[in-house]
Tab-separated table of all heavy atoms in Angstrom:
chain	number	residue	atom	x	y	z
A	98	CYS	N	-56.502	164.787	65.469
A	98	CYS	CA	-55.496	165.177	64.490
A	98	CYS	C	-54.651	166.305	65.066
A	98	CYS	O	-55.174	167.314	65.532
A	98	CYS	CB	-56.152	165.647	63.197
A	98	CYS	SG	-54.974	166.214	61.968
A	99	SER	N	-53.348	166.120	65.021
A	99	SER	CA	-52.453	167.183	65.489
A	99	SER	C	-51.498	167.613	64.383
A	99	SER	O	-50.512	168.288	64.633
A	99	SER	CB	-51.661	166.699	66.709
A	99	SER	OG	-50.908	165.548	66.363
A	100	LYS	N	-51.826	167.234	63.147
A	100	LYS	CA	-50.949	167.519	62.013
A	100	LYS	C	-50.964	168.989	61.610
A	100	LYS	O	-49.939	169.522	61.179
A	100	LYS	CB	-51.364	166.644	60.830
A	100	LYS	CG	-50.413	166.685	59.678
A	100	LYS	CD	-50.814	165.691	58.615
A	100	LYS	CE	-49.818	165.752	57.465
A	100	LYS	NZ	-50.161	164.798	56.420
A	101	VAL	N	-52.105	169.648	61.706
A	101	VAL	CA	-52.224	171.065	61.334
A	101	VAL	C	-52.783	171.855	62.505
A	101	VAL	O	-53.495	171.319	63.356
A	101	VAL	CB	-53.133	171.257	60.100
A	101	VAL	CG1	-52.503	170.675	58.864
A	101	VAL	CG2	-54.506	170.680	60.332
A	102	ARG	N	-52.454	173.125	62.512
A	102	ARG	CA	-52.965	174.011	63.560
A	102	ARG	C	-54.129	174.832	63.030
A	102	ARG	O	-54.180	175.177	61.844
A	102	ARG	CB	-51.846	174.929	64.037
A	102	ARG	CG	-50.773	174.155	64.781
A	102	ARG	CD	-49.665	175.009	65.364
A	102	ARG	NE	-50.093	176.326	65.758
A	102	ARG	CZ	-49.360	177.431	65.558
A	102	ARG	NH1	-48.195	177.348	64.987
A	102	ARG	NH2	-49.804	178.602	65.955
A	103	ARG	N	-55.040	175.137	63.914
A	103	ARG	CA	-56.253	175.883	63.592
A	103	ARG	C	-55.938	177.190	62.862
A	103	ARG	O	-56.524	177.512	61.833
A	103	ARG	CB	-57.015	176.145	64.889
A	103	ARG	CG	-58.197	177.050	64.769
A	103	ARG	CD	-58.764	177.360	66.166
A	103	ARG	NE	-59.776	178.363	66.097
A	103	ARG	CZ	-61.064	178.119	65.898
A	103	ARG	NH1	-61.472	176.884	65.773
A	103	ARG	NH2	-61.924	179.103	65.840
A	104	GLU	N	-55.013	177.970	63.396
A	104	GLU	CA	-54.688	179.276	62.837
A	104	GLU	C	-54.142	179.157	61.416
A	104	GLU	O	-54.450	179.973	60.554
A	104	GLU	CB	-53.671	180.014	63.721
A	104	GLU	CG	-54.161	180.333	65.112
A	104	GLU	CD	-54.054	179.147	66.073
A	104	GLU	OE1	-53.285	178.190	65.803
A	104	GLU	OE2	-54.767	179.163	67.091
A	105	GLU	N	-53.313	178.122	61.173
A	105	GLU	CA	-52.737	177.922	59.842
A	105	GLU	C	-53.817	177.608	58.815
A	105	GLU	O	-53.799	178.128	57.697
A	105	GLU	CB	-51.716	176.784	59.866
A	105	GLU	CG	-50.470	177.076	60.662
A	105	GLU	CD	-49.583	175.839	60.808
A	105	GLU	OE1	-50.088	174.701	60.683
A	105	GLU	OE2	-48.382	176.029	61.069
A	106	VAL	N	-54.747	176.742	59.185
A	106	VAL	CA	-55.815	176.342	58.263
A	106	VAL	C	-56.723	177.525	57.966
A	106	VAL	O	-57.041	177.809	56.800
A	106	VAL	CB	-56.620	175.156	58.836
A	106	VAL	CG1	-57.837	174.859	57.987
A	106	VAL	CG2	-55.739	173.933	58.958
A	107	ILE	N	-57.136	178.248	58.994
A	107	ILE	CA	-58.027	179.392	58.789
A	107	ILE	C	-57.334	180.456	57.941
A	107	ILE	O	-57.938	181.034	57.036
A	107	ILE	CB	-58.509	179.954	60.139
A	107	ILE	CG1	-59.465	178.949	60.795
A	107	ILE	CG2	-59.192	181.309	59.969
A	107	ILE	CD1	-59.928	179.316	62.180
A	108	SER	N	-56.059	180.704	58.174
A	108	SER	CA	-55.315	181.682	57.371
A	108	SER	C	-55.230	181.258	55.911
A	108	SER	O	-55.384	182.081	55.004
A	108	SER	CB	-53.909	181.878	57.933
A	108	SER	OG	-53.969	182.475	59.192
A	109	ALA	N	-54.966	179.977	55.675
A	109	ALA	CA	-54.857	179.482	54.299
A	109	ALA	C	-56.187	179.636	53.553
A	109	ALA	O	-56.210	180.068	52.394
A	109	ALA	CB	-54.417	178.024	54.301
A	110	VAL	N	-57.281	179.312	54.210
A	110	VAL	CA	-58.592	179.415	53.571
A	110	VAL	C	-58.982	180.886	53.379
A	110	VAL	O	-59.498	181.266	52.327
A	110	VAL	CB	-59.661	178.651	54.385
A	110	VAL	CG1	-61.054	178.897	53.850
A	110	VAL	CG2	-59.345	177.159	54.385
A	111	ALA	N	-58.728	181.720	54.366
A	111	ALA	CA	-59.038	183.148	54.246
A	111	ALA	C	-58.231	183.784	53.118
A	111	ALA	O	-58.724	184.674	52.413
A	111	ALA	CB	-58.771	183.854	55.565
A	112	LYS	N	-57.010	183.346	52.927
A	112	LYS	CA	-56.170	183.862	51.834
A	112	LYS	C	-56.794	183.530	50.480
A	112	LYS	O	-56.854	184.370	49.585
A	112	LYS	CB	-54.764	183.275	51.930
A	112	LYS	CG	-53.839	183.745	50.851
A	112	LYS	CD	-52.469	183.108	50.997
A	112	LYS	CE	-51.575	183.524	49.841
A	112	LYS	NZ	-50.305	182.812	49.852
Side-chain angles (χ1 to χ4, degrees):
C98 177
S99 59
K100 189 174 181 180
V101 293
R102 292 184 31 220
R103 173 187 172 89
E104 297 81 19
E105 293 172 338
V106 172
I107 290 175
S108 294
V110 172
K112 180 181 176 187

